[in-house]
Amino acid sequence: MIIGGGPAGYVAAIHAAHLGANVALVEKDRLGGTCLNRGCIPTKALVRSVEVLLEARRASDFGIDIGSIKTNFQKIMARKSNVVSQLVSGVEQLMKANKISVYRGTGRILSPHLVKVDDEEIATRKLIIATGSESALLPVPGLDLPGVLTTDDILELKELPESLVVIGGSHVGVEFASIFNGLGTKVTIVKRRPLLLEPIDEEIGRRFAQTLPKQGIEVKIGAAVKAIRREGSVLKVVWDTPGGEHGVEGQMVLMATGRQPYTEGLGLSELGIRMDGRAIVVNEYLETNISDVYAIGDVLGKTMLAHVASYEGEVAVENALGYPRQADYRAVPSCIFTQPEIAGVGITETQAKDSGIPYKVSKFPFLACGRAVTMDETMGMVKTICDAENGRILGLHIMGPHASDLIAEGVLAIQLGATARDIAHAIHAHPTLPEAVREAAMGQLEGSIHFQRM
Ligand SMILES: Cc1cc2nc3c(=O)[nH]c(=O)nc-3n(C[C@H](O)[C@H](O)[C@H](O)COP(=O)(O)OP(=O)(O)OC[C@H]3O[C@@H](n4cnc5c(N)ncnc54)[C@H](O)[C@@H]3O)c2cc1C
């Protein structure tokens, strides 16, 4: 029995079915969880609309004249909803195809081997909790004002706001800033600390932050927001500075202030599950302190990413079904779908410095990558961080076209313990963007072919 049908729970259910288990999945909302319904997928559908718009705007640079370009926000949002529905129905079909019993309702755990779904009690030998997370809102006055939105709310807007203040500069906040700025909203990001986008390499984060004003996104740093007020037709987000109160105005305000594990109504304290605040504590096999009860995904309150949630789903299922496997987090990629994209895996340069490992950095700019030039997307670079003694890839960080796809090579390299020479000796197709990864790896050795530092 799995409680929660997000990317942790539904993937666990399918994997358990593949391994021959009799599987039940409980979901109180739509299958697919945050990721499909209110997270990864709808945001990336919107990102795609922005990409198409930006390409259309510069079509004449490529010799294509397409006349005047107009955006239709309602159509953009309708397309986003269709993409979500298509993928949710795909998950529903996978449940049927894998003969998974889906219980629609709220699951409450009565004992490690008994779960109540609304009025029905269902016995299980193993139990996996995958109830995910919810928005963590900044507890400031004005939170309830109309126009102050959570990330769930903003995905349901009917009209494009003229201006938007994004509180918080997390991956999610920056992605929304990029989307709405791309569509024509005046966007200001308000953040307490400098925008570094951890766990992305600091240099890449800094370089990306420098592109924001050029894109028209204003960033206010050092802003510990104390209130949101309505002033006439706008909302004002305010904070104190040594020189007095400061504020920025916007038609709407997005609270992108992070997420917290969600376990409401599960009955965890009666069960005696060990918690760390709101998060469920598990061991390296993803088992809780109660035997036969596992927990996966955002509810662990650690790396709140869909691919980590799904990975944990597979690991927990194998452990529950008697195939012991420890969770291994050496190579967790992190991607931000902005303009340009950013992605990273492994350690950052600061972490390398702090750890005292002898390390070497090499970088390759997209400006020197033939494919990037043909695409006219030359902003950014690939940066590798290697162990200076054995050449092992410790970190790969990318800002530039298709960074989120290119990072897969770094994931595999770190997972397999590959060296820069392994990457350099692998033939990469030409002309492609992955050649930039290979060239950056060559920079760790005798030198990149197509880039020479003067
Ligand atoms: C705006 C936004 C953008 C994001 N973009 C990305 C991205 O690009 N890439 C990425 O990797 N991650 C992204 N994320 C994070 C990603 O969505 C989460 O990490 C992921 O959804 C976690 O999966 P999960 O299965 O653990 O939890 P969830 O997806 O939250 O699913 C939990 C499910 O459990 C159900 N549930 C809860 N309690 C009960 C109960 N008692 N009974 C029955 N059902 C219950 C809920 O209804 C929900 O469907 C984004 C998140 C947001 C908010």
Side-chain angles (χ1 to χ4, degrees), residues 47-352:
V47 164
R48 184 66 193 133
S49 287
V50 172
E51 285 168 356
V52 171
L53 173 64
L54 297 180
E55 300 255 296
R57 282 210 187 118
R58 58 192 199 121
S60 67
D61 296 352
F62 293 82
I64 319 276
D65 290 323
I66 52 175
S68 79
I69 300 151
K70 279 211 306 215
T71 52
N72 181 328
F73 187 65
Q74 288 73 25
K75 265 194 174 170
I76 290 172
M77 295 302 265
R79 175 182 177 275
K80 175 266 310 171
S81 301
N82 284 341
V83 170
V84 169
S85 298
Q86 188 184 331
L87 291 175
V88 169
S89 83
V91 174
E92 278 161 3
Q93 278 160 26
L94 285 170
M95 294 298 109
K96 282 195 195 116
N98 285 286
K99 302 193 171 35
I100 293 162
S101 311
V102 178
Y103 290 83
R104 300 281 176 173
T106 301
R108 183 177 174 80
I109 306 169
L110 300 180
S111 81
H113 302 111
L114 195 64
V115 172
K116 192 169 179 186
V117 183
D118 296 334
D119 291 332
E120 196 173 351
E121 289 184 9
I122 304 139
T124 182
R125 286 175 61 195
K126 306 280 178 176
L127 178 62
I128 300 180
I129 303 170
T131 49
S133 62
E134 61 181 348
S135 295
L137 303 177
L138 208 59
V140 292
L143 189 63
D144 299 333
L145 288 169
V148 179
L149 312 171
T150 64
T151 60
D152 294 355
D153 303 328
I154 200 167
L155 288 167
E156 300 306 324
L157 284 182
K158 303 277 180 275
E159 304 284 340
L160 183 69
E162 268 171 32
S163 52
L164 176 72
V165 180
V166 178
I167 304 181
S170 63
H171 295 194
V172 165
V174 173
E175 269 182 21
F176 276 115
S178 182
I179 291 167
F180 280 86
N181 175 62
L183 294 177
T185 299
K186 167 83 197 88
V187 178
T188 311
I189 300 175
V190 169
K191 194 168 176 345
R192 196 196 306 235
R193 291 188 299 131
L195 195 71
L196 281 178
L197 301 171
E198 304 93 344
I200 301 290
D201 181 79
E202 302 73 17
E203 180 186 8
I204 301 260
R206 232 181 354 258
R207 286 194 182 208
F208 172 76
Q210 285 162 3
T211 72
L212 291 176
K214 290 179 206 145
Q215 296 184 43
I217 300 175
E218 210 180 324
V219 186
K220 303 272 186 201
I221 302 296
V225 172
K226 65 169 188 182
I228 305 165
R229 296 186 197 126
R230 171 146 304 277
E231 291 196 356
S233 62
V234 293
L235 291 163
K236 189 167 183 185
V237 176
V238 293
W239 62 94
D240 285 327
T241 70
E245 189 178 275
H246 260 262
V248 285
E249 292 176 353
Q251 187 191 340
M252 292 189 178
V253 173
L254 173 66
M255 279 277 178
T257 41
R259 297 185 63 83
Q260 59 195 18
Y262 177 83
T263 56
E264 220 174 276
L266 271 181
L268 296 188
S269 58
E270 292 90 325
L271 199 63
I273 291 234
R274 187 175 308 137
M275 308 285 291
D276 178 8
R278 290 170 183 264
I280 299 181
V281 176
V282 289
N283 62 17
E284 58 275 35
Y285 299 95
L286 306 177
E287 196 169 15
T288 67
N289 60 315
I290 309 285
S291 146
D292 292 340
V293 181
Y294 297 78
I296 54 176
D298 278 13
V299 79
L300 302 182
K302 293 202 170 119
T303 311
M304 292 192 176
L305 291 171
H307 41 279
V308 174
S310 299
Y311 167 81
E312 289 170 343
E314 291 167 18
V315 171
V317 156
E318 290 179 28
N319 287 315
L321 298 181
Y323 307 100
R325 179 175 163 196
Q326 291 190 15
D328 171 2
Y329 298 101
R330 272 175 307 157
V332 176
S334 210
C335 303
I336 315 183
F337 298 79
T338 39
Q339 313 291 332
E341 284 187 7
I342 316 171
V345 62
I347 64 171
T348 66
E349 192 172 351
T350 302
Q351 285 168 340

Side-chain angles (χ1 to χ4, degrees), residues 4 6-8 27-28 33-35 39-40 44 105 107 131-132 297-298 304-307:
E27 174 53 62
K28 66 183 171 81
T34 305
C35 174
C40 332
K44 266 82 261 180
T131 49
D298 278 13
M304 292 192 176
L305 291 171
H307 41 279

